[in-house]
Amino acid sequence: MRRTGGKAGVDRAAAPVRLAPADLVGLGLLGIRTRKVRAALSALGIAIGIATLVLVTGIPASSQRALDRKLATLGTNRLQVTPAPNHDPPIKLPAESVAMVSRIGPVTVASATGDFGVNVARSDKTGAGDYNAIAVVATRTNLLAAIDGRVRAGRFLDDAMERQPTVVLGSVAAQRLGFSGVDLARPTQVYLGRHQFTVIGILDPAPLSPEIDRSAMIGWDAAARWLRFDGHPTRIYVRTTDAQVLAVRSVLAATADPEHPGDVLVSRPSDALAAKQAVQQTFSSLLLGLAGIALLVGGIGVANTMYISVLERRREIGLRRALGANRGQVRIQFVTESIVLSALGGGAGVLTGALAVAGYATLQHWPVTIPPEAAGAGLGGALLIGVLAGVYPAVRAARLNPIESLSSV
């Protein structure tokens, strides 16, 4: 009985110590709680690395978005469809061509104007031929969305006004007719042919559509009712996305006039589109390179911190091993500490970097852009760095000889 009891006592004494997962996590946080200054400095180093990652991706992304907006004003996503010139009799696009073009999947806006050879004058006393080279065009109500136009004074044609004898003047047309503004309370009329139309609006200059500047625009239905417009558009304005411009252009002619696609002219994409695509590729490569460098710097900082921590805590490690902690528990302690430090530093770094990007972009009058992948990569990268950077120091700590560790000074 004594032998059995003695043997059992020896076995119980030699049994390995088992800790619950919660105890292991608490043990991993022990080094952070007891060495707050060192932990804060370690987390600060990680935060600087992650903040740099967010900063070097967010600022170029904000700059790129601002540049994209400027390039978009050059018409990178717009196309025009017109019938081929110099035909006798003149070629006409089908009356339903605008509706057919609008059904192309990537097309976001399809609008049109129709020139039908009517003159405009300020007075019915205007002499023959004195018309200031202003074209009267039937106009769809969504024209401004297609050309990115803006109203300078008054209003544009809508579903109600387009059926009435009302007209909107382009910037040049208004100047030539002597209009500097519009007073809707005391409307002014101009003569389109022999009919009076009320001026309800004046547009700002449209640099990418100079023909609109020299036009007097009336509603599609009003043109048919008052001036016998036949409903055939002479110019279709198409707006799509930059990525789909070439694809849309390839099918526009056949869509606008399926019977005679060879008699349809489609404008070529703006040269700014190629410049915009080149800029996007350059910025993408730049962002990837900077992000990689920032993560590498942060990883080296964490690994260095944890390695020094192992050297500083050799006696602590030896004492724990002497008290029964196995190598796996020591490894988990240091890996957990590394992950927590990285998580704290990563969260602080993402927040700091985002605030810095917002401040700088605001000063430069850029749209604030923080790529979600940068924030995600910052947090995820910090945790990954914490695991990888803590592995070697943890393995080294677990391999320390307890006796040598306790005897070290």
Side-chain angles (χ1 to χ4, degrees), residues 59 62-63 66 70 357-368:
I59 289 179
S62 299
S63 175
K70 291 181 180 179
V357 170
Y360 187 82
T362 301
L363 288 176
Q364 297 295 326
H365 304 289
W366 294 343
V368 178

Side-chain angles (χ1 to χ4, degrees), residues 191-213:
Y191 281 83
L192 306 184
R194 292 178 296 172
H195 298 274
Q196 280 187 316
F197 277 66
T198 301
V199 178
I200 63 170
I202 298 174
L203 299 184
D204 274 332
L208 299 179
S209 303
E211 69 281 353
I212 295 298
D213 293 340

Side-chain angles (χ1 to χ4, degrees), residues 34-337:
T34 57
R35 294 171 173 82
K36 295 180 181 180
V37 176
R38 183 181 62 81
L41 293 175
S42 301
L44 177 62
I46 300 165
I48 292 174
I50 301 303
T52 302
L53 167 64
V54 176
L55 197 63
V56 300
T57 54
I59 289 179
S62 299
S63 175
Q64 178 184 355
R65 188 174 174 189
L67 181 59
D68 286 347
R69 286 186 176 181
K70 291 181 180 179
L71 292 176
T73 62
L74 301 179
T76 58
N77 59 349
R78 302 178 207 172
L79 297 167
Q80 292 187 19
V81 179
T82 56
N86 303 323
H87 277 255
D88 191 15
I91 295 173
K92 293 184 177 182
L93 295 173
E96 62 276 10
S97 58
V98 181
M100 293 190 294
V101 167
S102 66
R103 287 195 289 269
I104 300 175
V107 170
T108 56
V109 182
S111 189
T113 59
D115 188 346
F116 50 100
V118 174
N119 295 317
V120 57
R122 184 70 183 264
S123 168
D124 59 352
K125 306 300 182 182
T126 301
D130 186 12
Y131 297 112
N132 297 315
I134 300 172
V136 177
V137 295
T139 306
R140 297 283 189 177
T141 56
N142 63 345
L143 177 67
L144 295 188
I147 66 171
D148 198 20
R150 290 175 175 78
V151 177
R152 187 177 73 198
R155 57 187 295 188
F156 194 67
L157 301 167
D158 55 23
D159 292 339
M161 290 293 103
E162 73 134 359
R163 298 184 178 91
Q164 306 301 322
T166 55
V167 59
V168 176
L169 302 176
S171 59
V172 175
Q175 181 182 9
R176 291 178 180 177
L177 290 172
F179 286 91
S180 57
V182 174
D183 186 356
L184 296 179
R186 295 191 301 173
T188 304
Q189 283 78 33
V190 293
Y191 281 83
L192 306 184
R194 292 178 296 172
H195 298 274
Q196 280 187 316
F197 277 66
T198 301
V199 178
I200 63 170
I202 298 174
L203 299 184
D204 274 332
L208 299 179
S209 303
E211 69 281 353
I212 295 298
D213 293 340
R214 299 187 296 271
S215 297
M217 291 153 277
I218 61 177
W220 208 265
D221 292 344
R225 177 181 178 185
W226 302 96
L227 301 173
R228 298 182 180 179
F229 173 53
D230 60 8
H232 291 275
T234 54
R235 190 181 299 269
I236 300 176
Y237 299 87
V238 179
R239 192 164 188 167
T240 180
T241 61
D242 290 339
Q244 298 295 330
V245 167
L246 296 178
V248 170
R249 184 177 187 270
S250 66
V251 300
L252 265 182
T255 304
D257 192 350
E259 295 185 1
H260 307 96
D263 294 332
V264 178
L265 296 181
V266 180
S267 64
R268 64 185 297 271
S270 168
D271 290 336
L273 177 61
K276 185 175 182 179
Q277 293 172 342
V279 167
Q280 289 174 341
Q281 293 175 356
T282 301
F283 270 106
S284 297
S285 301
L286 175 64
L287 296 183
L288 288 175
L290 293 176
I293 293 173
L295 285 175
L296 178 62
V297 171
I300 293 174
V302 176
N304 184 60
T305 299
M306 297 308 301
Y307 183 76
I308 294 175
S309 177
V310 170
L311 297 180
E312 291 177 347
R313 297 162 65 183
R314 294 183 64 182
R315 298 192 66 180
E316 174 192 335
I317 296 168
L319 181 59
R320 287 206 59 231
R321 291 294 309 280
L323 292 176
N326 58 38
R327 291 184 176 183
Q329 292 167 354
V330 173
R331 284 195 296 266
I332 291 175
Q333 174 186 351
F334 280 86
V335 170
T336 302
E337 184 174 335

